[in-house]
Amino acid sequence: MCGIAGIIAPEGQRPSRDTLAAMAGAVAHRGPDGQGFHLHERAGLAHCRLAIIDLATGDQPMRNEDGTLWIVFNGEIYNHLALRQELLAKGHTFATTSDTEAILHAYEEYGPQCVARLRGMFAFAIWDQRSGSLFAARDPMGKKPFYYALHEGHFLFASEPAALLAYPGLSREPDLLALHHYLSLQYVPDPQSAFRDVRKLPPAHTLFWKDDALATQRYWQLEFEPKWQASEEDLAQELRERLTESVRIRLMSEVPLGAHLSGGIDSSIITALMAGLCDTPVKTFSIGFREAAFSELHKARAVAGRYGTDHHEFLVEFGHVPDTLAQVVAHVGEPFADPSALPSYFLARETRTKVTVALNGDGGDELFAGYQRYWLDPLAAPYAALPRLMTQRLIPALLDLIPEPQDRPIETNWVAGLKRLAQVAGISPKASILRWGSYFTPEQALNLWRPEQRALLVPQADAQALLSALFDAARAKTFLDRTLATDLGSYLPGDLLVKADRMAMAHGLEGRSPLLDHTLAEWAARLPVNLKMRRRTGKYLLRTAFADLLPPAVTAQGKQGFGIPVGKWLREDLSGWLRELLLGGLAAKSLLRPEALGAILDEHARGRVDHGKRLWALAALELWLRRFDVTA
């Protein structure tokens, strides 16, 4: 796991070493074990290394035998040994034992199609000195990031936006449409970034740049058909075998590793499988809260006790928020509104004190249908079919009279669910996460903007069109599968994997996600929908296949997200900090209507409506504007 950066200058120009060093310095936290540079004629490549495998000879940038190809790579390729044997048989010569060199020789042999032979997580760039071209790629699920920009004929790339902003003269002007989508989605969707001149390479895409011509191409997409025809018992057994193997190959390491154990089903299964594959007790790490309704430490302890892990815990409290939210935004490089990034930040920090690599349970909900909204979506259809006067005015007005609890997770907050019915009825079923999970509806977000900004956004400002396009493009027949495909192409890489990568890399920690092995995802996609969601039970086959490995404390309760008591904290202990931040901030001065911000603050303070997550999103936006000196 590493940080990468690069500059490709126009013909006849040379990159500045000082500028390249500044770009590398901006992502040095991603690779604290050393830096490497390659500058030759038009190309400048930089690499910050977190040494995991081939500690002795794996330094980058790395070249091929004759020095005509150079690579910088961030990630891990778990099948690199098999790929090496394949390439040796074809006459390639290796100078190291690293997975990086396997990619380089695979590109020599197969060209851009080399990505089809890679199993793992990756973002890499290969400079071809002979042709004067750059080839880059990002892994199928989107675990590793790749940002790029074009500036005065220079092609710039890096693992994080902060590195690109170290390049002199690159604009810090915001992309208003990206920020508008952020208010609804809680992240900026690719290929946009929060900066007008910076873009993201989407997951499962390659990039080719030569002579000022840029082309990107999708190389992989999940197929949900045809469905497997085997029995439930046989599919459960195959799932056990496939996931066990996915965990096993992710134990490849020359440094200590452990597991993130939330207490949920997914991370508990990963921990159990690790315990069965390791000769020594697994080091496990969990985060909790003093607010008992939000803490799952008791479930994590049950798993740790059953498998005799070396268990470690940390409590997150409201006092951590101001400084840590600023750190979260700084490491993401864009406004980022998922409150669970806060405990993830501390989880990574505590984990790094003991190990360098940690396995996690990311991806189980999106692959196997674990969210409540998957079974709620069909139930919402009768309400959405009622006259608009009822769904948008009369019933919401009655529900507004009910005070909204702010002391429990959303999964158990039925009042919050009822108050979302107007939003559910007003948004396309194709955009499931917008219906049930958006902080601001597109209309609410538009009402936040100053008139001059709003005029620039209309009529292209509806985030549901982005999700609906993914839904329609899914290679699936059922509504559930299309919704899963939409989440796997948007929420997973845009939110969950950004959080996982940036919070881990903030502390020089490598995170690995066995459930998001792309070959496992290909298999899971083709499961019959009744093995994913059965009535109100999500992740049905996953639960069935591993029931014997899970203690009752884990299986007896419904799903609880990695949430924090944000509503309570922002209404009580952090209310003064929040009001000063928002009403005296850059957003209120140049982008958003101060009266709209004040109204949200006042409603939340009165306790009638829980605006906690909306206020969190606005706080993150304000901190981003300040941290990156954004010129609105």
Side-chain angles (χ1 to χ4, degrees):
M1 203 71 70
C2 307
I4 62 175
I7 305 169
I8 309 299
E11 194 72 50
Q13 297 187 39
R14 292 176 177 269
S16 160
R17 183 179 180 86
D18 288 344
T19 298
L20 190 63
M23 293 173 68
V27 290
H29 53 276
R30 297 181 66 91
D33 295 331
Q35 291 187 0
F37 298 91
H38 169 70
L39 287 99
H40 178 75
E41 297 179 348
R42 300 169 55 196
L45 305 177
H47 185 264
C48 303
R49 187 182 186 200
L50 177 61
I52 304 294
I53 61 173
D54 190 17
L55 304 186
T57 64
D59 291 341
Q60 300 180 46
M62 189 176 288
R63 66 172 201 166
N64 64 347
E65 297 96 325
D66 62 9
T68 56
L69 294 177
W70 287 82
I71 185 173
V72 283
F73 159 58
N74 168 31
E76 298 287 355
I77 306 300
Y78 302 114
N79 67 330
H80 76 99
L81 294 177
L83 184 58
R84 170 187 296 267
Q85 293 305 311
E86 176 184 326
L87 294 164
L88 285 170
K90 292 181 177 292
H92 290 264
T93 302
F94 284 76
T96 76
T97 59
S98 73
D99 53 349
T100 307
E101 192 176 10
I103 300 173
L104 194 57
H105 287 293
Y107 180 73
E108 281 188 302
E109 183 69 28
Y110 304 113
Q113 288 71 40
C114 68
V115 292
R117 286 176 155 77
L118 304 179
R119 184 178 180 184
M121 51 185 176
F122 55 83
F124 65 82
I126 296 175
W127 171 246
D128 188 334
Q129 293 181 175
R130 295 165 298 187
S131 63
S133 63
L134 185 86
F135 175 76
R138 193 171 170 210
D139 66 75
M141 307 305 292
K143 299 171 190 173
K144 296 292 101 186
F146 190 94
Y147 289 81
Y148 65 93
L150 296 171
H151 181 69
E152 297 180 348
H154 293 72
F155 181 84
L156 318 172
F157 69 87
S159 296
E160 296 179 10
L164 298 179
L165 296 175
Y167 191 90
L170 187 66
S171 172
R172 292 173 181 256
E173 182 179 341
D175 184 326
L176 292 183
L177 182 58
L179 297 185
H180 181 73
H181 291 329
Y182 157 77
L183 291 173
S184 290
L185 296 171
Q186 74 199 37
Y187 62 89
V188 175
D190 61 58
Q192 293 173 287
S193 87
F195 298 97
R196 184 197 65 190
D197 291 344
V198 175
R199 286 294 178 263
K200 292 179 279 207
L201 183 64
H205 277 67
T206 58
L207 177 151
F208 186 80
W209 183 89
K210 182 179 181 181
D211 298 333
D212 291 329
L214 174 67
T216 61
Q217 183 175 353
R218 188 182 189 104
Y219 67 84
W220 180 87
Q221 187 172 352
L222 277 177
E223 303 277 355
F224 289 79
E225 300 288 340
K227 294 300 186 184
W228 302 120
Q229 298 300 313
S231 69
E232 179 179 321
E233 292 74 17
D234 288 345
L235 289 172
Q237 180 58 35
E238 186 170 357
L239 175 55
R240 281 188 73 123
E241 293 170 359
R242 285 179 174 271
L243 186 51
T244 300
E245 192 251 354
S246 186
V247 170
R248 181 186 59 77
I249 63 174
R250 281 163 177 78
L251 299 179
M252 173 186 72
S253 176
E254 296 178 26
V255 295
L257 48 73
H260 285 162
L261 177 58
S262 70
I265 286 176
D266 304 331
S267 65
S268 298
I269 290 172
I270 300 303
T271 299
L273 293 176
M274 287 181 69
L277 292 167
C278 294
D279 296 329
T280 57
V282 177
K283 288 182 169 58
T284 53
F285 304 87
S286 302
I287 289 291
F289 306 93
R290 296 196 185 281
E291 293 83 357
F294 289 83
S295 187
E296 293 189 287
L297 285 180
H298 65 288
K299 297 163 71 174
R301 290 168 187 160
V303 176
R306 176 162 179 171
Y307 292 101
T309 73
D310 179 8
H311 191 57
H312 306 267
E313 298 177 352
F314 182 80
L315 288 180
V316 178
E317 304 184 49
F318 69 84
H320 293 121
V321 171
D323 291 340
T324 309
L325 181 55
Q327 286 296 314
V328 167
V329 170
H331 283 287
V332 174
E334 302 182 82
F336 189 72
D338 188 339
S340 65
L342 187 82
S344 296
Y345 180 90
F346 287 106
L347 180 62
R349 189 190 72 177
E350 297 304 303
T351 302
R352 189 61 174 89
T353 64
K354 305 293 183 181
V355 301
T356 311
V357 177
L359 276 63
N360 59 58
D362 289 349
D365 291 313
E366 292 76 20
L367 282 177
F368 295 96
Y371 296 125
Q372 287 180 341
R373 57 186 167 86
Y374 293 143
W375 61 263
L376 284 171
D377 268 324
L379 299 182
Y383 181 84
L386 294 173
R388 184 175 178 82
L389 177 65
M390 295 182 64
T391 63
Q392 303 300 302
R393 296 183 61 182
L394 296 180
I395 295 177
L398 292 173
L399 292 173
D400 281 345
L401 299 176
I402 306 174
E404 186 172 337
Q406 301 182 32
D407 58 353
R408 65 190 66 176
I410 188 64
E411 291 84 3
T412 62
N413 189 340
W414 63 272
V415 175
L418 288 174
K419 289 190 174 186
R420 278 196 172 270
L421 285 175
Q423 178 172 309
V424 168
I427 292 178
S428 168
K430 297 178 181 180
S432 174
I433 195 167
L434 262 186
R435 303 177 96 199
W436 300 102
S438 68
Y439 292 1
F440 297 94
T441 66
E443 183 179 355
Q444 289 171 337
L446 276 176
N447 288 333
L448 283 174
W449 293 99
R450 288 172 175 266
E452 60 271 27
Q453 312 293 1
R454 177 172 176 156
L456 297 173
L457 291 168
V458 178
Q460 57 181 337
D462 194 346
Q464 67 180 316
L466 301 176
L467 301 181
S468 294
L470 289 173
F471 184 96
D472 290 337
R475 295 176 177 176
K477 293 181 179 179
T478 69
F479 182 89
L480 176 61
D481 280 342
R482 287 184 177 275
T483 301
L484 294 175
T486 303
D487 287 343
L488 286 161
S490 56
Y491 177 57
L492 178 74
D495 182 320
L496 301 183
L497 295 182
V498 168
K499 174 184 65 180
D501 174 80
R502 306 308 191 279
M503 297 307 97
M505 296 301 341
H507 303 284
L509 175 74
E510 175 173 306
R512 296 179 177 176
S513 308
L515 283 160
L516 289 176
D517 185 290
H518 83 277
T519 66
L520 177 62
E522 290 171 340
W523 181 86
R526 293 176 56 189
L527 288 171
V529 293
N530 71 334
L531 296 185
K532 298 174 183 176
M533 175 70 65
R534 183 163 295 185
R535 292 180 289 276
R536 292 175 54 181
T537 299
K539 294 189 284 197
Y540 174 81
L541 189 68
L542 191 67
R543 294 170 181 269
T544 300
F546 295 98
D548 62 311
L549 299 185
L550 301 175
V554 173
T555 58
Q557 299 182 39
K559 177 178 175 55
Q560 179 174 321
F562 197 15
I564 68 175
V566 59
K568 178 178 182 293
W569 287 354
L570 295 182
R571 192 181 74 252
E572 298 174 359
D573 306 280
L574 297 172
S575 59
W577 166 78
L578 181 67
R579 184 171 290 272
E580 181 179 354
L581 177 73
L582 295 185
L583 297 185
L586 297 175
K589 293 176 182 177
S590 59
L591 293 175
L592 306 179
R593 296 189 300 117
E595 61 271 26
L597 299 176
I600 296 173
L601 284 164
D602 291 342
E603 286 183 4
H604 187 72
R606 289 195 297 268
R608 197 97 196 147
V609 181
D610 184 358
H611 287 305
K613 290 187 175 180
R614 296 184 181 98
L615 290 167
W616 189 274
L618 294 169
L621 173 61
E622 176 61 33
L623 290 169
W624 172 74
L625 292 169
R626 297 184 185 191
R627 172 63 177 81
F628 291 98
D629 191 25
V630 178
T631 53

